[in-house]
Amino acid sequence: VQLPQYAPVFADNAISGYEFRALLENGGSMLKQELGIDNRLHRRQLMRAMTMRLYGVGSVPAKPAPPRWLEPREDGGSVAWDSPGSDGAPVHSYRLQRNDGIGAEWLTVYEGPGRTIREAALRTHVTYQYRVQAWSMLGHSEYSDPMTARCRTTGAGAQSLGDVRQADGNADGVLDRSELRELILGELGGHSPEVEAQLRTALRNVDRNVDGLLTADELESYRAQLGTSLSVDEVVDWVEHAVQLPQ
């Protein structure tokens, strides 16, 4: 309803939808007398919203489309999104959330009426995800499907880490685990227990049919999940990010 100052009043009095009918009686007198809402305009806004919810007028906003990642920079970029369909009450605000990888915690980075923000101070070697939720007087939509985003890389960080084709020792068109393992471990600087353990986890995520081989389709599918636009020659750079060992 865009009246956040009254949210504690409703919470403190344990107001649920079952009380809406009583709150609407006698011109909303209980809103003033019992809840202390003196502003007449605010009472009317609350009464209108409660009436629409009580009698099922309209519906919450539709699920938004995924946000878009625009103008990537070395430390961030812009996130934009569209207003979804709304039946009965216009969308008046949005909540944008971000996490720093698949399975990570979602953090709210924006709440308000706008439909674009600029993100800064992001890390280069991280694949971020964004999702958006729309709000109207009747409530909120589902969160959109997530959009993935990465900062633009330049210089050494953007260089390919070797010709993957040369790592295919037996020239059979696929990289088995030992071939890819040796290629990546060589680029990451050795066989430390930490590198070995995290690399095993990353390879299990990629090898969907658990046959011990990594086909081009499996590599491309997992890269698509991460929202990257890497070339074949950058697949090792991608695994470096998946393993989260930028050094």
Side-chain angles (χ1 to χ4, degrees):
V1 189
Q2 300 185 83
L3 294 171
Q5 64 269 41
Y6 301 121
V9 174
F10 278 72
D12 292 344
N13 289 275
I15 302 297
S16 71
Y18 294 109
E19 283 72 53
F20 281 5
R21 191 178 299 277
L23 291 172
L24 291 170
E25 293 177 353
N26 300 318
S29 60
M30 290 182 64
L31 291 172
K32 179 177 182 179
Q33 296 170 5
E34 302 295 334
L35 301 185
I37 301 175
D38 295 322
N39 187 295
R40 183 181 178 185
L41 177 59
H42 291 173
R43 291 201 304 273
R44 291 185 63 182
Q45 289 177 278
L46 287 165
M47 291 173 64
R48 177 170 177 257
M50 287 189 288
T51 299
M52 294 180 73
R53 290 302 299 264
L54 186 62
Y55 294 105
V57 179
S59 60
V60 299
K63 180 179 178 179
R68 303 182 302 281
W69 181 243
L70 307 173
E71 303 172 356
R73 307 183 309 278
E74 292 183 36
D75 66 341
S78 296
V79 184
W81 56 94
D82 297 321
S83 180
S86 179
D87 177 19
V91 172
H92 59 63
S93 64
Y94 304 89
R95 175 180 292 156
L96 182 71
Q97 293 191 325
R98 180 190 71 213
N99 72 33
D100 60 0
I102 296 174
E105 180 183 359
W106 288 98
L107 302 175
T108 298
V109 295
Y110 173 78
E111 288 184 329
R115 296 209 302 265
T116 182
I117 67 166
R118 290 183 68 85
E119 283 275 78
L122 301 182
R123 291 174 288 170
T124 301
H125 297 291
V126 173
T127 298
Y128 293 93
Q129 293 184 310
Y130 290 87
R131 65 182 186 179
V132 66
Q133 181 184 69
W135 282 78
S136 75
M137 182 182 294
L138 297 177
H140 61 78
S141 70
E142 298 180 59
Y143 277 104
S144 70
D145 293 332
M147 171 271 292
T148 55
R150 293 179 62 194
C151 298
R152 178 171 54 85
T153 55
T154 58
Q159 295 175 0
S160 170
L161 297 182
D163 190 342
V164 176
R165 287 183 295 273
Q166 292 181 4
D168 184 13
N170 56 8
D172 62 353
V174 296
L175 295 181
D176 63 35
R177 292 193 178 202
S178 62
E179 291 169 335
L180 186 59
R181 173 178 173 276
E182 290 305 314
L183 174 63
I184 298 171
L185 289 175
E187 295 293 346
L188 293 181
H191 295 63
S192 73
E194 180 185 14
V195 171
E196 293 264 9
Q198 296 192 48
L199 179 58
R200 282 194 296 272
T201 299
L203 294 180
R204 282 196 298 270
N205 290 335
V206 180
D207 186 12
R208 292 175 297 176
N209 58 7
V210 199
D211 64 354
L213 302 174
L214 300 177
T215 66
D217 286 343
E218 287 173 325
L219 289 171
E220 183 62 32
S221 175
Y222 197 70
R223 282 162 47 198
Q225 292 179 38
L226 296 179
T228 62
S229 56
L230 302 179
S231 67
V232 173
D233 289 337
E234 291 174 313
V235 66
V236 179
D237 188 37
W238 155 75
V239 174
E240 176 188 350
H241 301 149
V243 180
Q244 295 187 1
L245 291 173
Q247 69 272 30

